[in-house]
């Protein structure tokens, strides 16, 4: 009896499992999209999700799309749902107003999703789930949003004179890797020089021992899976300059400048020395010549001395003063002409007296008897 009871229980479990599998597989979700979709930033994408269902399912419809986190850690973010004959698409802020069902009525068998104006952060795994009790099925679609290369910048390093080595550089600051760089010459022979080496990863075109044949317009193109861009640079090889002549001219210019500077310094020192000598001569003259006394003080001194002399004269002592002896006028016997008393003494010019140190003195007039007038 126990064996028969165990068999009956096992058969019941198997029957329930088969019934569940039948109900599950009666709703099947399929997709024509590849497992991984790669799209450019700014473009749009359609993620395909179609399903078939048996007529035995009679429960309410529940269709939803969700975004799984990139590292598959944490809960998924609900994006859009169809439930109760209505669409709800305001669940996920970053995709708001950019996501919608392709069909107005997704219950017709097409629950495909459309996303417009893709952004780099839209990258992730999207899940389409269709449920109609008791049926349920789902599928995943991986979306990778790629960034187009930004406008590259072309530049030249090295000396452009013939015989030297130069390098053409091309650099794009944005874009999903890997980025591929190519160079081409658009003028002349339109082929890269034989002495050039291209690094397609860094975007550098190295050219050895350049000549005038290297001159021309070069174009760089950078590209990845979703786009490309380009820039151009004009290279012109020049003949070497006469370095010896430039150096000689520079040396001569420096020497002339130094010569002019020395002449200017010499003139300044000489002028300064002359001014110093003139000041010393003036100082010596002032020390040798005593300062003249004022006329008023000289006159007062003279008047005082004469008054004292005249005051000492009296009739009693007049005889003590020497009297001037006048020579008698000779007669014709001696044959000598007397000297005239009116002869004038020799005169000296005023400016010569000043140079000789003479001091002008005011002399008071006297009467015949010796009194001061």
């Amino acid at each position: 009896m126990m064996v028969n009871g165990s068999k009956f229980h096992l058969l019941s479990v198997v029957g329930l499992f088969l019934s569940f599998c039948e109900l599950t597989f009666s709703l099947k979700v399929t997709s024509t999209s590849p497992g991984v979709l790669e799209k450019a930033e700014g473009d749009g994408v359609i993620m395909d999700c179609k399903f078939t269902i048996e007529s035995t399912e009679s429960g309410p419809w529940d269709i939803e799309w969700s975004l799984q986190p990139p590292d598959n850690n944490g809960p998924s973010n609900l994006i859009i749902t169809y439930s109760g004959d209505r669409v709800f698409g305001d669940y996920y802020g970053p995709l708001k107003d950019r996501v919608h069902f392709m069909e107005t009525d997704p219950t017709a068998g097409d629950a495909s999703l459309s996303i417009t104006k893709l952004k780099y952060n839209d990258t992730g795994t999207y899940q389409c789930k269709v449920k109609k009790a008791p049926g349920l099925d789902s599928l995943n679609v991986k979306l990778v949003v790629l960034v187009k290369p930004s406008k590259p910048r072309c530049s030249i390093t090295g000396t452009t004179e013939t015989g030297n080595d130069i390098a053409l550089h091309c650099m794009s600051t944005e874009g999903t890797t890997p980025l591929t760089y190519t160079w081409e010459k658009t003028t002349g022979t339109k082929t890269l020089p034989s002495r050039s080496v291209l690094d397609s990863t860094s975007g550098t075109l190295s050219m050895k021992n350049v000549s005038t044949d290297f001159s021309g317009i070069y174009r760089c193109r950078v590209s990845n899976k979703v786009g490309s861009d380009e820039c151009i640079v004009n290279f012109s090889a020049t003949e070497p300059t006469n370095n010896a002549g430039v150096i000689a001219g520079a040396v001569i210019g420096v020497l002339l400048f130094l010569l002019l500077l020395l002449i200017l310094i010499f003139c300044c020192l000489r002028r300064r020395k002359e001014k110093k000598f003139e000041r010393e001569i003036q100082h010596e003259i002032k020390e040798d010549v005593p300062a003249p006394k004022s006329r008023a003080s000289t006159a007062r001194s003279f008047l005082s001395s004469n008054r004292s002399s005249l005051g000492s004269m009296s009739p009693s002592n007049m005889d003590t003063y020497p009297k001037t002896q006048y020579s008698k006028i000779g007669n014709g016997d001696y044959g000598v002409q007397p000297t005239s008393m009116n002869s004038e003494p020799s005169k000296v010019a005023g400016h010569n007296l000043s140079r000789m140190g003479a001091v002008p003195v005011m002399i008071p007039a006297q009467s015949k008897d010796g009194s001061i007038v």
Side-chain angles (χ1 to χ4, degrees), residues 65-335:
W65 278 90
S66 60
L67 174 61
Q68 306 295 325
D71 52 2
N72 292 324
N73 293 325
S76 60
N77 297 306
L78 190 61
I79 299 174
I80 189 171
T81 65
Y82 178 88
S83 179
D85 298 332
R86 294 182 59 187
V87 176
F88 302 91
D90 297 336
Y91 293 103
Y92 189 55
L95 288 174
K96 185 177 180 181
D97 299 329
R98 295 192 294 122
V99 60
H100 60 273
F101 286 109
M102 288 296 298
E103 298 293 337
T104 306
D105 183 11
T107 63
D110 190 355
S112 300
L113 184 70
S114 172
I115 303 177
T116 59
K117 299 178 181 179
L118 287 172
K119 299 180 180 179
Y120 179 74
N121 293 332
D122 294 339
T123 299
T125 301
Y126 293 79
Q127 185 182 68
C128 174
K129 183 186 294 185
V130 180
K131 179 181 178 182
K132 183 173 176 62
L136 173 66
D137 199 7
S138 64
L139 63 81
N140 293 336
V141 179
K142 187 175 182 179
L143 174 65
V144 178
V145 180
L146 304 177
V147 180
K148 296 178 181 179
S150 61
K151 180 74 174 180
R153 179 178 178 272
C154 292
S155 60
I156 303 176
T157 58
T159 305
T160 58
E161 295 179 353
T162 56
N164 294 315
D165 299 339
I166 67 164
L168 306 183
H169 301 279
C170 183
M171 178 61 65
S172 179
T173 58
E174 296 180 359
T176 302
T177 57
L179 298 176
T180 303
Y181 295 89
T182 58
W183 279 95
E184 63 177 342
K185 189 178 181 183
T186 60
T187 57
T189 59
K190 296 186 178 181
T191 57
L192 294 177
S194 59
R195 297 189 298 274
S196 62
V197 179
L198 172 63
D199 187 345
S200 60
T201 303
S202 65
T204 300
L205 179 66
S206 301
M207 295 190 287
K208 307 290 184 180
N209 190 21
V210 299
S211 63
T212 54
D213 296 336
F214 286 53
S215 300
I217 298 176
Y218 292 80
R219 178 170 56 196
C220 170
R221 182 185 298 272
V222 56
S223 61
N224 61 6
K225 292 182 178 181
V226 292
S228 64
D229 211 331
E230 62 185 32
C231 63
I232 60 174
V233 62
N234 188 4
F235 171 69
S236 178
T238 58
E239 295 295 336
T241 56
N242 187 3
N243 295 329
V246 173
I247 295 174
V251 171
I252 293 174
V254 172
L255 292 177
L256 289 175
F257 174 76
L258 293 177
L259 179 61
L260 292 175
L261 184 62
L262 291 175
I263 293 174
L264 180 62
I265 294 174
F266 174 76
C267 293
C268 293
L269 292 177
R270 183 174 181 180
R271 179 60 180 168
R272 184 177 181 183
K273 187 175 181 180
E274 290 177 353
K275 289 184 177 181
K276 183 178 180 181
F277 179 75
E278 291 176 358
R279 287 196 300 267
E280 291 178 353
I281 294 297
Q282 294 176 0
H283 183 68
E284 290 177 358
I285 294 174
K286 290 180 180 179
E287 289 182 350
D288 293 341
V289 179
K293 296 180 181 180
S294 63
R295 296 181 178 180
S297 61
T298 304
R300 285 195 299 267
S301 176
F302 180 80
L303 290 174
S304 176
S305 62
N306 282 314
R307 285 175 182 173
S308 61
S309 299
L310 293 174
S312 61
M313 292 182 180
S314 63
S316 59
N317 57 10
M318 288 292 292
D319 295 335
T320 62
Y321 288 90
K323 295 181 181 179
T324 303
Q325 300 294 325
Y326 297 96
S327 298
K328 294 180 180 180
I329 300 173
N331 52 29
D333 296 337
Y334 296 98

